Amino acid sequence: MTSTRCRAARTLSLLTLPLLLAPLSARAGESTAESEDGEALPRAPIVVTGRGLREGPATPAYDVRRLERDTLTSSASGRIEDVLASVAGFQQFRRSDSRASNPSNQGVTLRALGGNASSRAQVLLDGVPVGNPFFGYIPLSALAPERLGAVRVTRGGGMGAFGAGAVSGTIELESAGPDELGPLSAQALVNDRGETQSALTLAPRLGEGFVVAGVQWDRGQGFQTTPRDQRVAATARAGYESWSGSLRGVAPLTDAVEVQASGLVYDDARTLRFDGADSTSSGQQGALRLVGRGAWQFDVLGYVQAQDFSNVVISSTSFRKTLDQKKTPTLAVGGKAELRPPVGADHVLRLGADIRLSRGHLVEVPLNATTGLATAFRRAGGKQSDLGLYVEDDWTLGSLVVTAGARADRWTIRDGFYRELNAAGAVSRDTRFANRDGWSGNARGGLVWNAGRAVSLRAAAYTGLRLPTLNELYRPFVVFPVTTQANAALKPERLRGYEAGVDLHPSPALSIALTAFDNRLKDAVANVTLDATTRQRQNVNAIRARGLEASAELALGRVDLSGSLAWTDAEVEASGSQQALDGLRPAQVPRLFASGTLAWTPREGWRLAATVRHTGAQFEDDLETDVLPAATTLDLFAQVPLGRFATLVLRGENLTDETIVTRNQGGSIDLGQPRTLWAGIKLGLR
């Protein structure tokens, strides 16, 4: 893994260095041109945005919610998953946030299509997929809200130009620039348990471009995730320490073309439930992007990612190591190229291709819980690839906007293996799995009818594809007392979805959106119970989710009220040996989710906000035997200027100290975030 990290670091340096140097050669201030007689004439300065191409006019045909910077930077926890939870329908595999869960549980999904720990939503940071290629989890602790300018969440919508994997929706994270960040900003906070959160960001303008560099460091002893009556001498707090650093540069190449380079590095360490039950995740990625905004618009992106994961399993009876998952090195390279030719003012035509190549393997050592000696040595892994070709057109016909697109994907799963040696070093199992490949065709389409200034009607239909992850295919795992087996024969998941909605704007201060949807995920991967202590990843016939999503925003002067609600009727369709699952709700899926925020800005620089969230009851397992009760939480946020450059920040998580059950396996329970109070200072130059 050391060599992989070195390669990623060298790549990151090569990608970023040209962007650091390019702005230095640009002339600051207003650009000039020469007249016919040789005199210097002023012309408009070049404006770089650091973003991709503008969204098409038919984007509102899908169920889209945009979160602005004020919302991103005023969450009670300062974590991206807390921010995204304000969009009803967003969920992780478990209710824990990224301070108190195993990183491999951080799969995210939308539309109640959950049920396992792999992400069914595509998460992009400035156009780059950030999910771990081996597990499918999202490195949430590395995605600092303070470094973001906006987030766009599309629930449903199929694949389109987003790439494979977006079967439940797409979450697009957009980095902030100097206008939002200022040249220098910093913050430091501490909570009532002595845990700290600190960040520093520099965002200078250099000539006609800019550079943004940021670092964040979080650490703490954590809270007791184990209920008091289940604690033993070996019980430990959910301690954590994570840091992330980002470097991003943007510079103009011409009046209409800009180049963007970015790098992200992160490291995260956690302890869960027992002393020694430690997990780590780390990663490095670099990306280079060219964006052209002339008559022939284009967006060309390339990236490389190196990630790793480790985990130690502790016996719940002897409280000694039983499994050491030493490392899971993963490497992914990919890119995207999109062209928008000038086909007329009424059309936005997108022609593109994207590719992602990934590989990874695990190295783990089972241990004798009594002697501590190794009982075996295991390696497992494989490779995956996806090449996509797509075309999409948005056509404006007066008050009607129509969109249609098609996509073809060539995918492969190959070189899969599982190899195990016994304690003496002799081969006890050496399995090579058959290579698989195929073509998949998908399409999506929709329309928006702007019936008047106050009313827009929309409808959409779409399909999608998600390959099973290398983790699902080849890596078994244990959460005592249950072992979940891998399954190398898993088929890709395929989505078919429909939705219709209405957007109301009865006044400039009020907006309301309502969406009804029907999504069916064929061959959905689920953890299927085989007996009391064994589950296996299997394809069920389908997961079908039908429901309603609603959101509203009201702005009354300095008071803002926003809310989001999702009600979903989701059920498993199963037959044969899985017949017992037919008609049951998928594991980890609540029927109801609601969130509401009331914010008040009494004067410039102030912000006072209260957020109430409700998550309905859900089941831990596929057979609906273990219940996770409903939970309602209250969070508060206060920002009070202390002068020109300093601001007091006060935050409160779960102020009513609601009991949040995040895991329940036969009465063995883990708990979520208790009442937590934060105070700190934010500094900034403008």
Side-chain angles (χ1 to χ4, degrees):
M1 186 59 188
T2 301
S3 61
T4 301
R5 288 182 174 175
C6 290
R7 287 195 299 270
R10 287 196 298 269
T11 302
L12 176 59
S13 299
L14 292 173
L15 288 175
T16 307
L17 183 59
L19 267 296
L20 296 179
L21 297 178
L24 297 178
S25 63
R27 288 172 289 181
E30 192 176 67
S31 302
T32 61
E34 288 189 356
S35 65
E36 293 182 359
D37 57 7
E39 294 183 358
L41 297 177
R43 62 177 172 86
I46 296 173
V47 177
V48 297
T49 68
R51 301 182 177 92
L53 295 177
R54 183 177 300 177
E55 62 190 46
T59 298
Y62 305 100
D63 187 4
V64 178
R65 174 121 186 249
R66 184 177 174 88
L67 304 178
E68 302 297 345
R69 183 164 171 80
D70 282 349
T71 300
L72 302 180
T73 58
S74 58
S75 72
S77 67
R79 321 288 291 192
I80 188 62
E81 60 269 32
D82 188 26
V83 173
L84 294 172
S86 64
V87 179
F90 170 84
Q91 68 174 107
Q92 299 180 75
F93 177 57
R94 299 198 183 278
R95 296 175 176 181
S96 307
D97 70 19
S98 57
R99 293 165 293 187
S101 68
N102 191 286
S104 63
N105 286 332
Q106 291 174 188
V108 303
T109 191
L110 301 156
R111 287 277 163 91
L113 293 175
N116 64 31
S118 297
S119 294
R120 288 190 167 115
Q122 179 74 281
V123 181
L124 307 171
L125 175 61
D126 298 320
V128 178
V130 296
N132 181 285
F134 188 92
F135 293 93
Y137 70 76
I138 307 302
L140 297 171
S141 62
L143 305 175
E146 289 286 338
R147 299 200 291 255
L148 300 177
V151 174
R152 186 172 66 184
V153 180
T154 304
R155 293 176 284 199
M159 289 164 58
F162 297 128
V167 292
S168 73
T170 307
I171 300 172
E172 299 168 86
L173 312 177
E174 188 178 279
S175 292
D179 292 341
E180 298 107 327
L181 296 168
L184 171 66
S185 60
Q187 68 174 7
L189 297 100
V190 63
N191 70 17
D192 52 341
R193 293 190 296 271
E195 299 161 6
T196 58
Q197 188 176 93
S198 55
L200 174 66
T201 303
L202 300 173
R205 289 193 176 276
L206 301 176
E208 293 170 328
F210 62 82
V211 171
V212 176
V215 62
Q216 178 163 318
W217 180 34
D218 300 339
R219 65 187 302 271
Q221 63 174 334
F223 59 90
Q224 289 283 2
T225 60
T226 306
R228 187 176 298 276
D229 61 355
Q230 295 185 8
R231 296 175 194 169
V232 296
T235 298
R237 291 174 173 267
Y240 63 94
E241 182 170 10
S242 63
W243 66 267
S244 66
S246 63
L247 181 62
R248 189 164 182 263
V250 179
L253 293 183
T254 70
D255 289 358
V257 179
E258 69 181 57
V259 58
Q260 306 167 12
S262 61
L264 175 68
V265 295
Y266 61 88
D267 191 82
D268 186 299
R270 308 176 199 174
T271 299
L272 297 173
R273 198 170 177 86
F274 298 120
D275 284 327
D278 303 326
S279 62
T280 67
S281 63
S282 61
Q284 311 85 32
Q285 72 178 43
L288 186 63
R289 188 180 198 181
L290 291 174
V291 179
R293 307 183 196 277
W296 287 79
Q297 298 184 26
F298 60 85
D299 189 343
V300 180
L301 169 71
Y303 63 87
V304 59
Q305 298 168 323
Q307 301 186 21
D308 199 3
F309 168 84
S310 70
N311 185 59
V312 174
V313 178
I314 300 294
S315 167
S316 61
T317 54
S318 67
F319 310 112
R320 296 182 180 179
K321 291 183 181 181
T322 60
L323 181 64
D324 187 356
Q325 297 169 320
K326 289 184 173 294
K327 58 183 179 179
T328 315
T330 305
L331 181 67
V333 295
K336 173 182 175 180
E338 178 175 303
L339 179 66
R340 298 186 185 182
V343 291
D346 295 335
H347 286 271
V348 176
L349 177 63
R350 307 169 71 177
L351 306 171
D354 55 61
I355 189 170
R356 183 172 174 86
L357 310 172
S358 60
R359 66 186 185 193
H361 68 274
L362 65 88
V363 177
E364 64 180 28
V365 180
L367 302 169
N368 185 301
T370 301
T371 65
L373 298 177
T375 60
F377 304 90
R378 301 172 184 157
R379 294 179 70 245
K383 299 176 183 178
Q384 289 183 324
S385 70
D386 186 276
L387 170 64
L389 307 171
Y390 64 87
V391 57
E392 192 162 85
D393 184 39
D394 295 353
W395 188 11
T396 302
L397 300 166
S399 61
L400 184 68
V401 183
V402 180
T403 182
R407 180 182 173 91
D409 283 85
R410 171 65 176 177
W411 57 267
T412 68
I413 300 173
R414 55 193 177 89
D415 296 341
F417 73 95
Y418 185 98
R419 181 178 174 85
E420 181 172 320
L421 309 179
N422 62 24
V427 176
S428 56
R429 178 181 172 184
D430 191 356
T431 304
R432 304 287 167 167
F433 301 105
N435 292 341
R436 291 186 284 159
D437 57 66
W439 279 95
S440 174
N442 290 280
R444 69 176 191 165
L447 58 87
V448 182
W449 178 36
N450 298 307
R453 291 185 177 181
V455 181
S456 296
L457 303 177
R458 51 186 163 82
Y462 40 82
T463 64
L465 170 78
R466 185 186 77 89
L467 296 180
T469 63
L470 297 174
N471 174 55
E472 292 168 320
L473 292 166
Y474 307 125
R475 173 186 172 265
F477 70 93
V478 179
V479 178
F480 187 85
V482 177
T483 298
T484 301
Q485 300 173 350
N487 184 353
L490 289 173
K491 294 181 287 187
E493 297 179 338
R494 300 178 185 275
L495 173 79
R496 185 192 67 217
Y498 311 94
E499 63 187 63
V502 57
D503 297 313
L504 304 174
H505 306 279
S507 74
L510 176 63
S511 62
I512 301 171
L514 180 66
T515 303
F517 66 90
D518 185 340
N519 286 183
R520 185 175 186 269
L521 188 66
K522 183 181 177 182
D523 294 322
V525 177
N527 297 333
V528 176
T529 298
L530 304 181
D531 55 48
T533 60
T534 309
R535 295 176 186 159
Q536 185 186 44
R537 299 184 182 97
Q538 295 182 4
N539 294 108
V540 298
N541 290 353
I543 292 176
R544 187 169 187 181
R546 292 168 287 190
L548 297 173
E549 294 166 341
S551 61
E553 296 182 2
L554 176 63
L556 298 173
R558 295 187 175 274
V559 177
D560 295 302
L561 178 63
S562 62
S564 184
L565 180 145
W567 176 86
T568 309
D569 179 19
E571 64 179 27
V572 176
E573 298 177 3
S575 60
S577 62
Q578 303 168 348
Q579 183 65 44
L581 305 180
D582 191 55
L584 299 184
R585 198 189 319 170
Q588 305 293 336
V589 171
R591 192 180 300 275
L592 178 66
F593 185 97
S595 175
T597 298
L598 176 64
W600 178 38
T601 54
R603 60 184 67 180
E604 183 69 24
W606 288 62
R607 184 174 175 84
L608 307 175
T611 298
V612 177
R613 291 198 183 97
H614 175 80
T615 304
Q618 59 197 67
F619 294 102
E620 172 74 34
D621 63 321
D622 58 326
L623 294 178
E624 298 187 353
T625 54
D626 297 319
V627 178
L628 306 178
T632 303
T633 60
L634 170 65
D635 295 341
L636 295 181
F637 175 87
Q639 178 177 287
V640 181
L642 299 179
R644 183 178 178 184
F645 304 115
T647 302
L648 173 67
V649 178
L650 302 173
R651 305 189 318 213
E653 300 180 65
N654 190 10
L655 286 182
T656 60
D657 206 22
E658 174 86 335
T659 299
I660 306 170
V661 179
T662 63
R663 184 186 67 90
N664 178 12
Q665 290 187 328
S668 176
I669 288 174
D670 284 342
L671 302 176
Q673 191 79 11
R675 181 192 297 117
T676 304
L677 304 177
W678 293 86
I681 297 293
K682 181 185 293 186
L683 303 175
L685 298 178
R686 289 289 176 183

